[in-house]
Amino acid sequence: MKYRDLITKMTIEEKVSLLAGKDFWTTHSIERLNIPSMAMADGPHGVRKQAENGDHLGLVEGVKATCFPTSATMANSWNVEICERIGQGLGQEAVASNVNVLLGPGMNIKRNPLCGRNFEYFSEDPYLSGKLAAAYVRGIQSKGVSACPKHFAANNQEYLRMTNDSVVDERTLREIYMTGFEIAVKESNPKTIMSSYNKVNGEYANESEKLLRDTLIDDWGFNGIVVSDWGGSNDHVEGVKNGNHLEMPTTGGDSDYQLLEAIKKGVITESLVDKRVEEYLDVLFSVQIQGEHQVNYEEHHELARKAAEESIVLLKNNDTLPLKPHTKISVIGDFAETPRYQGAGSSLVNSYKLESTIEVISDYELDYIGYVQGYDRIGRADSNKINDAVNLAEKSDVILLYIGLDDVNEVEGYDREHMKIPENQVQLIEALAKLPQPIVIVLSCGAPIDMLWNDRCDAIVHGYLPGQAGAKAILNVMVGKVNPSGKLSESYPYEYKDLSNYNYYPGLEKTSEYREGLYVGYRYFDTNAVDVRYPFGYGLSYTSFEYSDIKIDSNSVRFTILNTGDMQGSEISQLYVGKKSKAIYRPLKELKGFKKVYLEPGESKEVVIEFDDKSFRYFDINTMKFQVEDGDYEIMIGASSRDIRLSGTLYVKGVEVIRDTNISKRYFSGDVQQITNEEFEGLLGHKLPDADWDRTKPLGLNDSLTQMTYAKSRLARLAIKILLTLRKRSFKKGKPNLNILFLTNMPFRAIAKMSGGTVSMEMVGNIVTIVNGHFFKGTSRLIKSWIWLGRRG
């Protein structure tokens, strides 16, 4: 033991105190032994450090920090180097704010466009997600603090996220939902990882030996610590036993008491607690900050702008862009004045500065004739605003129209109900489309949307959620100062019903069933030849690129890219690998590498993309290991998943595979929208768990507050009715109440986990007794447990 002498000097009470938070954001210190505390802050795209009385959801304003583009935006850059530079910026600002652990990046797979937190995640593809996340981690940790990739694992919906059970077969779990984390762990050695709220196949992620010990430690060689998501610890004893090191936030000593009692009863040994403390101390001492540090926020603002420029995707262009000097332009749309540049929830950054289009447009050689709001931000119809927009647009040569998802549709704790943008924005598009002037649409959103209005405009510039410097970045692209080079990190379907998991998302009660298996995003669309509006990896440029001269050997694929246009630009070339197999089912193609290359007009470069241990593998559920199937593989180089420019064949020596007859032929064909219970059970290898709440049984600690809709207590039913009504009203006002969103999704046990010690788990049990219709019994016991808590404290 590295810290054996130090640990032997601790009392058992001091040991267990280190495994739970001191308050909302910091851990305990032990002054007599010179053991410091550790401060944490949210940080996927900006440091959100709050005061001691802070909260998890951004209700208390954090210190000023740079708001970089969100992860969903940066994924469109496909640029590992710029992501690492952003990580360095985040790490530097964390150090300056005395933050030891920055909680990010978020890297869950974008399984479905409706997930309310998609803006925090990179991609529908695990390889791209893992490579970019690893870059963030390297950058953050280069400054001496810890990154914390999250949320491990299979956390793909916000609705009932703290009680939902992700039912997913082992192969899909390993290949789609864990590969990104594997890449991040192996390539960047994060010091901490955050476990997710949900269950995975019946076990809470935060107390799963399979996830935290077998996979993280034994398979991947992780040597850091696991932190629970805030309020996401179900059973602290089981968590510590199976690999969790730190429960956050504080429970005011209640969790310490539970751990001490478990040691006394022999449920867990003190030697195992010593091991967790040893692992915790190793990270704690490695992230201590010495001295004072300053940040040049203006430099970081320019870095945020550069990052946004790298990530902007030009989806459509009928020769309208780039705008010529002195083009007479009208600017329409509320987002031009009050930009949507980040999502809402625990990642909300208090930006050091913020640019808007209206403020900076005078810096450009354009004849700007004016701005009108055009639509009500929260979706109310207003014909006067539309008329004002039309009147202004008529006087211009080109219309710049800023639209996208409103603030209530991309928020932690809530999933969208559909893919549409607000109807009043669509009405505005239709009205302007009647004019002869070309329309350039500037989109702001962190996930795919329904674009039935696509043919009503002449150009579409997608900025996603570009951070505090996004306004100038977008204008730089529109005037041609910057040649757009971003490409989509997710597919844009024509309609929501085109998705593979259209019938399975979200899980509405106890479970979320991943019946589509491996067929997420382009893996489904391309295998089934489903038309999409914009494919994975797609993005236009102001120049053109020619691919040629492919050479394939056992180590790599080589090819040449030539810039055939008259403007410098960057091209993102993508390596896809496919194999026709009768033994195991496979998508038509899967991303296995990429390179972003800058080229001057007429310049050509040879591009080399090396194969790695992810290139040809599949997860074998019989050996519980990754294997390579013997045979020929198709090697494809594309400008997108649907634009394959070069291809060839490579024989790879591997193992012979015998087909599992339990796997339905639907998985081999990719026709997975109507998978039956029997077919899914064949893939899972076991019977399906119950998906529905049992409304005949009393509610328990792990049931959600939402389930009070059928509680026996009339008072409980009234309470949840009020909460749901307040939630609905907040959405109508355009400002979702994040506390209410958290409450309606959380289980009863989280009352204790998030109350800072004012409510014990025993008290919550008594509250549940009241909810189940035993008012006097529960109230009497609640009072007694409250008195006992006071005495214990």
Side-chain angles (χ1 to χ4, degrees):
M1 261 191 173
K2 184 176 180 180
Y3 297 101
R4 183 186 299 275
D5 291 343
L6 189 58
I7 292 173
T8 56
K9 295 176 183 178
M10 296 182 195
T11 66
I12 185 63
E13 290 80 9
E14 287 173 330
K15 292 176 185 177
V16 299
S17 75
L18 294 178
L19 303 181
K22 173 188 174 184
D23 52 37
F24 215 89
W25 294 112
T26 63
T27 63
H28 285 277
S29 61
I30 303 176
E31 291 184 9
R32 70 180 187 86
L33 297 175
N34 295 317
I35 295 175
S37 64
M38 186 163 66
M40 287 166 275
D42 281 306
H45 54 269
V47 178
R48 190 178 73 89
K49 183 182 179 181
Q50 295 179 292
E52 290 184 5
N53 62 343
D55 66 281
H56 179 46
L57 296 172
L59 301 178
V60 176
E61 192 172 68
V63 299
K64 292 283 187 180
T66 305
C67 183
F68 293 100
T70 67
S71 297
T73 312
M74 288 309 305
N76 295 329
S77 75
W78 298 62
N79 188 325
V80 172
E81 290 75 20
I82 194 73
C83 287
E84 187 162 344
R85 287 178 61 193
I86 288 179
Q88 292 168 355
L90 290 168
Q92 188 178 9
E93 293 193 23
V95 169
S97 295
N98 289 311
V99 170
N100 308 98
V101 178
L102 201 59
L103 304 176
M107 52 181 307
N108 295 103
I109 291 298
K110 300 174 83 166
R111 178 188 174 213
N112 184 284
L114 301 188
C115 177
R117 212 167 178 180
N118 274 343
F119 65 89
E120 281 192 58
Y121 304 142
F122 290 106
S123 175
E124 66 188 31
D125 183 83
Y127 190 88
L128 179 59
S129 297
K131 290 292 184 178
L132 299 185
Y136 269 75
V137 174
R138 287 193 298 270
I140 292 168
Q141 295 192 166
S142 70
K143 301 303 179 182
V145 295
S146 173
C148 185
K150 61 184 185 181
H151 311 83
F152 187 65
N155 172 211
N156 305 104
Q157 70 177 58
E158 289 299 284
Y159 178 65
L160 297 177
R161 59 183 177 166
M162 298 180 79
T163 59
N164 193 262
D165 183 5
S166 296
V167 181
V168 54
D169 70 279
E170 190 67 27
R171 186 175 166 212
T172 299
L173 179 64
R174 294 286 188 136
E175 292 188 25
I176 301 296
Y177 297 99
M178 289 169 61
T179 288
F181 285 97
E182 178 189 358
I183 292 170
V185 168
K186 289 182 175 179
E187 295 189 6
S188 63
N189 296 310
K191 295 177 184 292
T192 65
I193 279 183
M194 184 187 291
S195 58
S196 57
Y197 283 130
N198 53 289
K199 294 178 182 177
V200 180
N201 293 323
E203 289 186 310
Y204 280 102
N206 188 62
E207 56 197 52
S208 170
E209 181 179 11
K210 178 181 175 182
L211 291 178
L212 305 187
R213 307 305 299 175
D214 297 347
T215 302
L216 269 179
I217 303 295
D218 296 342
D219 288 357
W220 301 348
F222 177 65
N223 58 4
I225 63 173
V226 176
V227 181
S228 76
D229 202 344
W230 266 236
S233 171
N234 167 54
D235 184 324
H236 184 49
V237 174
E238 284 299 302
V240 170
K241 182 178 177 181
N242 291 316
N244 173 267
H245 300 82
L246 183 59
E247 180 186 78
M248 292 298 292
T250 182
T251 58
D254 194 41
S255 294
D256 296 5
Y257 173 78
Q258 293 168 19
L259 202 53
L260 289 170
E261 287 296 297
I263 294 170
K264 288 178 184 178
K265 295 175 181 178
V267 176
I268 191 171
T269 64
E270 186 172 353
S271 62
L272 181 58
V273 170
D274 289 349
K275 188 174 189 301
R276 295 290 175 269
V277 171
E278 163 83 10
E279 292 161 344
Y280 168 76
L281 290 176
D282 200 35
V283 170
L284 173 69
F285 287 123
S286 73
V287 296
Q288 292 305 303
I289 298 167
Q290 305 296 328
E292 293 188 4
H293 299 264
Q294 300 296 320
V295 174
N296 187 327
Y297 286 100
E298 286 299 326
E299 285 186 0
H300 283 192
H301 183 76
E302 288 306 304
L303 174 59
R305 178 189 53 76
K306 171 64 176 173
E309 290 171 352
E310 287 275 336
S311 306
I312 291 165
V313 184
L314 182 61
L315 292 178
K316 180 178 181 179
N317 187 22
N318 294 340
D319 295 324
T320 304
L321 298 177
L323 297 171
K324 295 179 176 59
H326 303 295
T327 300
K328 190 184 297 184
I329 61 164
S330 57
V331 178
I332 297 169
D334 188 36
F335 295 162
E337 182 177 34
T338 308
R340 280 220 61 234
Y341 63 102
Q342 63 175 326
S346 59
S347 68
L348 193 69
V349 178
N350 183 14
S351 299
Y352 160 73
K353 66 190 295 187
L354 176 62
E355 294 175 349
S356 74
T357 301
I358 301 307
E359 291 172 341
V360 301
I361 199 165
S362 60
D363 296 340
Y364 294 83
E365 197 176 357
L366 296 169
D367 292 342
Y368 166 56
I369 66 168
Y371 158 80
V372 294
Q373 187 178 4
Y375 54 83
D376 179 84
R377 196 180 189 91
I378 61 175
R380 287 189 292 255
D382 191 329
S383 58
N384 290 329
K385 284 185 170 60
I386 292 178
N387 291 336
D388 290 344
V390 170
N391 290 336
L392 177 65
E394 287 177 331
K395 303 171 186 175
S396 63
D397 298 326
V398 176
I399 304 163
L400 304 187
L401 176 58
Y402 286 69
I403 62 169
L405 289 178
D406 57 18
D407 303 80
V408 302
N409 275 308
E410 293 190 289
V411 59
E412 179 179 349
Y414 185 80
D415 295 317
R416 286 191 284 160
E417 296 176 358
H418 53 73
M419 287 178 59
K420 299 176 182 177
I421 62 173
E423 182 60 26
N424 63 345
Q425 294 185 29
V426 177
Q427 291 170 355
L428 176 60
I429 295 170
E430 296 290 347
L432 293 172
K434 295 175 182 177
L435 300 176
Q437 286 84 353
I439 300 172
V440 177
I441 285 182
V442 179
L443 273 181
S444 297
C445 52
I449 56 174
D450 188 327
M451 299 172 68
L452 292 175
W453 39 263
N454 188 83
D455 295 336
R456 301 289 191 272
C457 61
D458 299 270
I460 302 175
V461 178
H462 202 338
Y464 265 66
L465 299 176
Q468 67 181 44
K472 270 196 170 182
I474 290 169
L475 283 167
N476 286 345
V477 164
M478 287 198 287
V479 301
K481 184 177 180 180
V482 170
N483 191 349
S485 63
K487 293 195 175 187
L488 293 175
S489 64
E490 56 193 333
S491 310
Y492 272 59
Y494 275 100
E495 297 181 77
Y496 182 63
K497 68 179 182 180
D498 293 338
L499 291 159
S500 61
N501 45 41
Y502 166 71
N503 291 308
Y504 319 134
Y505 188 94
L508 295 176
E509 294 191 358
K510 292 173 70 174
T511 66
S512 183
E513 297 175 349
Y514 290 55
R515 295 190 182 216
E516 71 276 10
L518 300 175
Y519 294 106
V520 177
Y522 74 90
R523 285 171 167 80
Y524 171 73
F525 296 128
D526 291 3
T527 302
N528 287 272
V530 177
D531 287 339
V532 293
R533 191 173 294 281
Y534 295 112
F536 176 82
Y538 171 87
L540 298 175
S541 171
Y542 294 146
T543 190
S544 54
F545 301 96
E546 180 181 283
Y547 290 63
S548 64
D549 198 22
I550 186 170
K551 299 182 182 71
I552 303 169
D553 59 35
S554 60
N555 298 313
S556 65
V557 55
R558 298 169 180 265
F559 53 96
T560 299
I561 298 181
L562 169 67
N563 183 346
T564 57
D566 55 6
M567 184 176 182
Q568 80 285 353
S570 296
E571 172 69 340
I572 300 165
S573 52
Q574 301 150 42
L575 165 65
Y576 295 91
V577 174
K579 186 182 192 308
K580 293 179 180 178
S581 173
K582 295 180 179 179
I584 60 172
Y585 86 91
R586 294 176 179 271
L588 180 67
K589 64 174 79 80
E590 297 183 280
L591 182 75
K592 297 298 180 180
F594 57 91
K595 280 282 179 71
K596 190 167 189 175
V597 180
Y598 176 85
L599 295 166
E600 293 288 339
E603 182 183 9
S604 66
K605 286 182 181 177
E606 184 181 57
V607 179
V608 180
I609 302 180
E610 296 179 347
F611 300 127
D612 60 22
D613 63 333
K614 314 294 186 304
S615 298
F616 308 108
R617 72 180 192 175
Y618 78 98
F619 191 79
D620 184 351
I621 62 171
N622 296 309
T623 62
M624 292 299 287
K625 294 181 179 179
F626 280 99
Q627 304 274 20
V628 174
E629 183 185 10
D630 191 83
D632 290 330
Y633 289 78
E634 187 176 7
I635 309 302
M636 295 163 273
I637 299 297
S640 79
S641 74
R642 289 289 176 92
D643 184 8
I644 301 301
R645 304 289 183 89
L646 304 169
S647 65
T649 302
L650 176 69
Y651 169 74
V652 180
K653 185 174 178 56
V655 299
E656 296 293 334
V657 182
I658 299 174
R659 177 168 176 169
D660 185 346
T661 57
N662 291 317
I663 306 299
S664 166
K665 63 182 181 181
R666 287 179 186 262
Y667 286 108
F668 282 83
S669 69
D671 179 20
V672 294
Q673 278 197 330
Q674 301 289 341
I675 294 294
T676 66
N677 287 358
E678 183 180 10
E679 288 172 321
F680 190 38
E681 287 174 347
L683 187 68
L684 286 171
H686 57 77
K687 288 289 185 182
L688 277 169
D690 291 333
D692 301 326
W693 295 322
D694 188 342
R695 289 164 170 78
T696 66
K697 289 184 178 180
L699 295 176
L701 289 174
N702 282 327
D703 289 317
S704 72
L705 268 64
T706 293
Q707 292 174 249
M708 289 195 298
T709 51
Y710 63 84
K712 288 188 177 181
S713 166
R714 185 177 298 176
L715 183 62
R717 295 197 301 272
L718 176 62
I720 191 61
K721 184 177 181 180
I722 292 171
L723 278 176
L724 293 174
T725 300
L726 291 173
R727 183 180 74 178
K728 187 175 181 180
R729 287 178 181 174
S730 74
F731 273 81
K732 284 186 176 181
K733 293 178 181 178
K735 292 185 178 180
N737 188 309
L738 300 177
N739 262 340
I740 292 177
L741 286 177
F742 191 86
L743 285 170
T744 53
N745 280 311
M746 78 179 192
F748 288 97
R749 63 173 162 81
I751 297 173
K753 298 294 185 180
M754 296 294 284
S755 67
T758 57
V759 180
S760 68
M761 195 61 73
E762 183 181 353
M763 291 170 68
V764 175
N766 296 323
I767 292 171
V768 173
T769 299
I770 296 171
V771 168
N772 284 322
H774 306 289
F775 179 81
F776 294 106
K777 178 182 175 181
T779 301
S780 173
R781 291 181 176 179
L782 180 62
I783 293 171
K784 289 179 182 178
S785 59
W786 176 70
I787 293 171
W788 182 86
L789 178 66
R791 290 173 178 171
R792 193 188 78 193

